[in-house]
Amino acid sequence: DTEVVARPTLAAWNSEPQHKQALVQRLLEQDFKNIHLHLSEHALEATLTNTRISLPSRAVGRAVRTLLLRSPLDTQEIKVNYTINDMPLATYTFSDARQLQRYFNGTISRKQLAETVSVSYAESQHEEDEALLAAVEEEYFQTHFDGNDGDIISLRGEGAGLSKFRVSPGMGFFFNDPSGALRYEAFVNASIEKQAGEGLFLKATTQLTLSQDISGVTSKSNSLLPHVRTDVASYKKTGNVKLIQAVANQYFHPNDRIYARATVGLYEEMFGGAGGQILYYPEVSPWAIDLTVDALKQRDVGGGLAFRNYSTVSALAALHYQLPITGLSATVRGGRFLAGDWGGRFEMKRHFRSGFEVGAWY
């Protein structure tokens, strides 16, 4: 944030709402969402998240520069509560605003700044000026037609909260079938996601198939296990417009370092049901663990609301480990899979600062 701004006095901040509104507006322009501000004496506290910057520390660095630039002149401390899916993740406290300004001016080093910065588990969040922020959210809605959201091109719309819609093209591939080594599917997805309450998100996705030859798969499986994925050709040959997903996700934060999710609806093209997940990560450690349990029923072909007779319960425990190499992580999952079979899955992936991920699993 390189603009020159006349910072308000504490009295002006408290009596003139336009200063807070301008700060919220500037944060929104940088893809920050669910923004709440609270000023207590000489400390400015912000609760927010970012929908474009995948690394929280980078997002907080950008946010705190803007917060400092537009905060009252008497501000001595800036605190940022960073959230994901409306759940608190971490609290970054910059206890000396003057040192922070010197750092942005280039007169002190990062090591010197670090003496006045602390990162802790997410603290309680204050919310104030709900009417003002609601008015900003009502007025702020933007549409974009670009490739900045991980797609080649997409049309997306979003407001000040986490509700959004997106229309984008996509490709899918099917490998190693005896009747054709590589088959493809080209489609356009349209999705809408609505935050319907604290931690509650509703999402629906429809798909228009433009072209595909996966339905040409002719080989039949000789597996004695239930056909949870084997009948892919039947799903692709029936209907060009399908309801791929319609789910409600409720996120919870029951205790420190414990997060949970409850889900119900149509999970994806082939299965729907209800289930949940609970995750724990320790205070200072490169690992985390979670348990996911889902009661599922197989959807019928055609992308409608009909189901087949097959139902199952999947239950998978996972250990996630952050390796010493930056951005590289490994996951081991074990338990009961979709076909009722028991086994394990090993995953490796690299997460880049841009948000791009690449990986493999066995």
Side-chain angles (χ1 to χ4, degrees), residues 228-248:
V228 296
R229 299 294 183 191
T230 314
D231 299 335
V232 59
S234 300
Y235 283 87
K236 299 304 179 184
K237 70 173 59 172
T238 309
N240 289 329
V241 179
K242 303 174 184 177
L243 178 62
I244 297 296
Q245 184 183 54
V247 295

Side-chain angles (χ1 to χ4, degrees), residues 99 101-109 112:
Q99 283 288 84
Q101 185 65 68
R102 294 189 185 103
Y103 172 74
F104 287 137
N105 291 340
T107 58
I108 67 170
S109 66
Q112 290 173 297

Side-chain angles (χ1 to χ4, degrees), residues 3 32 41 48-49 86 124-125 166-167 179 181 189 216 220 242-243 265 286 298 326 356-357:
E3 60 184 326
F32 290 98
E41 295 182 354
L48 46 74
T49 191
D86 207 25
S124 59
Q125 303 160 35
R166 185 169 76 175
V167 180
S179 59
N189 274 349
K220 293 185 178 180
K242 303 174 184 177
L243 178 62
Q298 192 171 36
T326 302
F356 181 75
E357 287 185 354

Side-chain angles (χ1 to χ4, degrees), residues 135-360:
V136 171
E137 180 166 357
E138 184 176 340
E139 295 175 5
Y140 184 87
F141 186 85
Q142 292 190 337
T143 57
H144 306 271
F145 187 68
D146 54 35
N148 293 340
D149 207 29
D151 299 296
I152 297 174
I153 193 72
S154 69
L155 172 65
R156 50 190 170 84
E158 51 196 23
L162 296 177
S163 299
K164 57 188 176 182
F165 77 82
R166 185 169 76 175
V167 180
S168 61
M171 291 286 292
F173 297 96
F174 186 83
F175 294 95
N176 262 359
D177 180 69
S179 59
L182 172 64
R183 294 183 179 272
Y184 78 95
E185 177 186 28
F187 54 83
V188 174
N189 274 349
S191 64
I192 183 168
E193 188 168 0
K194 172 71 175 177
Q195 184 173 4
E198 185 177 351
L200 175 61
F201 294 85
L202 310 178
K203 184 176 182 180
T205 302
T206 58
Q207 179 176 299
L208 169 64
T209 301
L210 302 176
S211 178
Q212 61 86 22
D213 65 357
I214 299 177
S215 60
V217 172
T218 57
S219 59
K220 293 185 178 180
S221 172
N222 60 2
S223 173
L224 300 179
L225 292 172
H227 290 189
V228 296
R229 299 294 183 191
T230 314
D231 299 335
V232 59
S234 300
Y235 283 87
K236 299 304 179 184
K237 70 173 59 172
T238 309
N240 289 329
V241 179
K242 303 174 184 177
L243 178 62
I244 297 296
Q245 184 183 54
V247 295
N249 287 310
Q250 175 67 64
Y251 297 94
F252 304 94
H253 182 219
N255 211 331
D256 287 359
R257 300 175 187 86
I258 296 178
Y259 295 86
R261 168 186 55 82
T263 300
V264 63
L266 304 177
Y267 281 34
E268 37 104 323
E269 185 176 14
M270 297 185 184
F271 285 90
Q277 180 182 25
I278 186 166
L279 177 143
Y280 168 79
Y281 71 92
E283 184 173 359
V284 181
S285 178
W287 60 268
I289 56 174
D290 76 74
L291 174 66
T292 305
V293 179
D294 294 286
L296 301 167
K297 193 170 180 65
Q298 192 171 36
R299 297 178 64 186
D300 203 357
V301 298
L305 301 179
F307 288 85
R308 293 182 170 184
N309 291 328
Y310 180 70
S311 59
T312 187
V313 174
S314 68
L316 296 172
L319 170 65
H320 311 274
Y321 192 84
Q322 187 72 42
L323 297 170
I325 301 175
T326 302
L328 191 63
S329 63
T331 296
V332 178
R333 304 183 194 275
R336 192 174 193 269
F337 286 78
L338 281 176
D341 51 326
W342 293 81
R345 169 172 164 148
F346 178 72
E347 306 168 12
M348 289 281 291
K349 69 178 179 180
R350 175 73 184 273
H351 184 94
F352 295 89
R353 290 168 65 92
S354 64
F356 181 75
E357 287 185 354
V358 61

Side-chain angles (χ1 to χ4, degrees), residues 108-124:
I108 67 170
S109 66
R110 179 179 298 183
K111 183 177 180 180
Q112 290 173 297
L113 175 66
E115 298 174 357
T116 65
V117 180
S118 64
V119 183
S120 62
Y121 183 76
E123 299 178 5
S124 59

